[in-house]
């Protein structure tokens, strides 16, 4: 790690790089400055105390002079040597994060755990590595979140991961209770990716699906079931016959855990037409396993080009199912149950679809009240 004698001119001359950079002071052991890719600079101390590493922010270089920061660092280091440091000051962010993934990670499905580790490594650790978990404040999180404005999707998906780490840190005793610095920070407002098929588009899709029934019967059945059930792709592709009983699907392991899927008559007809030659409803002919998920995606990409729906993702069939349910008058809680949402807030994005219904209701209520001569 680079060392130099800190002066105001040298601190000011430091230029950011693509990664976080630490420079140590040549005069005071354990005193340094951290330079972030955004250009932010902060003074820190890094030392050993009772066999544990101590890393603590001294102050922002934009508002604290070198001499004041060095004086403050000396007093912090002296306090550590005298044993007056709080126990919370010895827990580095990356160490707590790893503990959270080890202990709390069992609550995540393997795929979710893999994705969350990716965002931890790519978006979170480069900013917070080396920081004490107890010292991270809401202002630090806001600054980190703002630095990700060019990648809003990554920012929005990283924030819940950071929030879980902070919440668990409170539970484990590494942060004061009710101190989650992620609380109240709004996600980026992005152009919605939801695409809903119109009635005409659904009819066009149906006509083209009929043309492929002879050569791609399994894929045609899967696409139809996705539209008729609102299920996620993997829930249908990996469906077992034992999960289809009493006219419903009893999924043992969906994204949100075990759940029941209510089936319409057309959906049950499709399932009843499938041959029962395997434990899987849609078996692969080569591996004795369900049909490959990616092959369904390949079929859809070719199909949507033929139908003229190049901008429609396979997942948009789920959005279409939900949108039709809302526009036919189903309430949000019912639609949430149909989709298997644990959080009603997830379903609220469909509320704008029933504006016409709400307008008609307002007109009806207004007419009734007017008739009462208010």
């Amino acid at each position: 790690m680079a060392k130099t004698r800190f002066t105001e001119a040298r601190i000011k001359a430091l230029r950011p790089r693509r990664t976080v950079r630490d420079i140590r002071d040549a005069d005071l052991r354990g005193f340094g400055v951290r330079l972030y890719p955004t250009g932010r600079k902060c003074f820190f101390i890094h030392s050993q105390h009772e066999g544990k590493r101590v890393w603590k922010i001294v102050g922002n270089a934009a508002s604290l002079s070198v001499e004041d920061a060095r004086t403050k660092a000396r007093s912090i280091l002296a306090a550590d040597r005298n044993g007056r440091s709080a126990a919370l000051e010895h827990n580095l962010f990356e160490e707590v994060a790893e503990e959270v993934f080890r202990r709390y990670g069992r609550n995540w499905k393997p795929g979710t755990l893999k994705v969350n580790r990716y965002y931890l490594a790519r978006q979170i650790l480069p900013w917070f590595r080396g920081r004490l978990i107890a010292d991270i404040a809401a202002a630090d999180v806001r600054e980190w979140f703002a630095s990700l404005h060019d990648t809003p999707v990554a920012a929005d998906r990283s924030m819940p991961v950071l929030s879980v780490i902070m919440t668990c840190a409170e539970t484990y005793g590494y942060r004061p209770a009710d101190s989650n610095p992620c609380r109240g920070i709004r996600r980026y407002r992005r152009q919605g990716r939801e695409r809903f098929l119109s009635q005409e588009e659904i009819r066009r899709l149906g006509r083209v699906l009929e043309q492929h029934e002879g050569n791609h019967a399994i894929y045609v059945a899967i696409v139809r079931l996705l539209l008729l059930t609102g299920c996620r792709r993997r829930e249908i592709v990996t469906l077992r016959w034992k999960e289809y009983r009493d006219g419903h699907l009893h999924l043992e392991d969906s994204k949100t855990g075990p759940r029941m899927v209510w089936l319409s008559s057309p959906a049950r007809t499709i399932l009843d037409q499938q041959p029962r030659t395997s434990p899987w409803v849609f078996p692969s002919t080569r591996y004795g396993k369900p049909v490959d998920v990616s092959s369904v995606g390949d079929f859809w990409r070719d199909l949507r080009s033929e139908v003229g729906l190049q901008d429609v993702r396979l997942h948009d069939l789920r959005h279409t199912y939900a949108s039709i349910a809302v526009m036919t008058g189903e309430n949000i809680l019912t639609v949430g149950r149909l989709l298997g949402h644990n959080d009603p807030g997830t379903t609220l994005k469909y509320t704008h679809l029933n504006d016409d219904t709400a307008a008609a209701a307002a007109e009806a209520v207004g007419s009734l009240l007017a008739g009462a001569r208010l």
Side-chain angles (χ1 to χ4, degrees):
M1 188 179 296
K3 282 190 177 183
T4 185
R5 187 180 186 284
F6 289 170
T7 64
E8 295 293 344
R10 285 177 177 169
I11 296 299
K12 186 176 181 180
L14 292 174
R15 294 292 177 264
R17 297 179 181 175
R18 296 183 63 183
T19 58
V20 175
R21 180 185 175 200
D22 288 344
I23 302 97
R24 296 298 186 96
D25 183 27
D27 289 350
L28 178 60
R29 184 177 180 181
F31 178 50
V33 65
R34 170 159 289 189
L35 179 61
Y36 293 90
T38 59
R40 176 191 177 217
K41 303 167 188 175
C42 66
F43 295 110
F44 68 86
I45 60 100
H46 185 192
S47 65
Q48 293 282 335
H49 178 68
E50 296 180 351
K52 295 183 179 180
R53 288 187 296 167
V54 177
W55 199 99
K56 188 175 180 65
I57 290 290
V58 175
N60 193 318
S63 57
L64 194 64
S65 69
V66 172
E67 286 308 314
D68 287 344
R70 190 181 280 114
T71 299
K72 186 176 179 181
R74 283 196 181 97
S75 58
I76 294 173
L77 291 167
D80 283 340
R81 286 192 295 269
N82 293 332
R84 292 198 299 269
S85 293
L88 293 177
E89 294 179 353
H90 300 296
N91 299 289
L92 293 172
F93 175 84
E94 61 269 27
E95 295 171 350
V96 177
E98 184 58 37
E99 182 178 352
V100 170
F101 270 72
R102 186 175 67 252
R103 296 172 61 179
Y104 183 86
R106 68 191 68 174
N107 297 306
W108 291 323
K109 291 182 178 296
T112 303
L113 179 62
K114 182 178 180 180
V115 170
N116 288 350
R117 276 205 173 275
Y118 171 84
Y119 286 113
L120 174 68
R122 294 291 298 272
Q123 308 296 341
I124 301 174
L125 283 179
W127 189 275
F128 293 105
R129 180 184 283 112
R131 299 282 300 275
L132 294 177
I133 192 80
D135 285 344
I136 297 174
D140 301 313
V141 175
R142 284 194 295 270
E143 186 175 2
W144 162 74
F145 199 59
S147 73
L148 300 175
H149 64 88
D150 289 336
T151 54
V153 174
D156 286 349
R157 293 181 178 177
S158 299
M159 177 63 81
V161 179
L162 179 60
S163 184
V164 166
I165 293 171
M166 293 301 180
T167 299
C168 289
E170 295 179 24
T171 303
Y172 303 160
Y174 303 142
R175 287 182 60 89
D178 198 29
S179 66
N180 190 334
C182 300
R183 191 179 295 115
I185 296 179
R186 294 184 178 182
R187 298 188 182 186
Y188 287 99
R189 300 183 65 179
R190 309 191 307 273
Q191 182 68 32
R193 294 190 64 193
E194 289 78 16
R195 169 74 156 80
F196 313 113
L197 273 67
S198 66
Q199 290 294 329
E200 172 57 28
E201 289 173 330
I202 293 174
R203 283 191 288 268
R204 278 164 36 205
L205 175 61
R207 289 194 294 267
V208 176
L209 283 172
E210 288 180 358
Q211 298 171 12
H212 288 278
E213 281 185 311
N215 297 327
H216 303 99
I218 283 183
Y219 296 123
V220 169
I222 289 173
V223 171
R224 284 174 170 163
L225 277 177
L226 290 174
L227 187 56
L228 287 168
T229 64
C231 284
R232 301 173 180 88
R233 183 195 319 189
R234 189 172 293 277
E235 292 171 347
I236 294 298
V237 171
T238 62
L239 184 64
R240 298 171 183 263
W241 282 116
K242 66 178 182 179
E243 295 175 302
Y244 174 44
R245 58 185 185 273
D246 304 323
H248 305 299
L249 299 184
H250 300 265
L251 302 181
E252 296 179 353
D253 187 26
S254 71
K255 182 179 179 181
T256 54
R259 75 180 183 97
M260 186 170 77
V261 178
W262 286 264
L263 297 178
S264 62
S265 296
R268 290 195 295 269
T269 298
I270 291 173
L271 286 168
D272 293 339
Q273 290 174 345
Q274 304 307 309
R276 299 199 178 211
T277 58
S278 165
W280 309 99
V281 176
F282 301 109
S284 168
T285 57
R286 292 185 297 170
Y287 303 106
K289 295 181 179 180
V291 66
D292 187 64
V293 174
S294 62
S295 67
V296 179
D298 294 338
F299 172 76
W300 174 254
R301 279 187 287 274
D302 292 338
L303 184 73
R304 70 181 182 182
S305 296
E306 190 174 345
V307 181
L309 301 174
Q310 287 87 346
D311 63 328
V312 178
R313 303 168 300 160
L314 199 55
H315 194 69
D316 290 327
L317 301 183
R318 175 173 165 87
H319 297 314
T320 300
Y321 176 85
S323 71
I324 292 174
V326 170
M327 289 188 288
T328 54
E330 299 299 336
N331 62 58
I332 291 300
L333 290 178
T334 299
V335 175
R337 291 189 67 189
L338 291 174
L339 295 177
H341 288 161
N342 281 341
D343 182 3
T346 307
T347 321
L348 289 177
K349 62 186 175 183
Y350 298 105
T351 54
H352 70 283
L353 296 170
N354 60 357
D355 286 345
D356 292 341
T357 303
E363 187 65 30
V365 173
S367 298
L368 180 65
L369 292 175
R373 296 182 179 179
L374 290 177

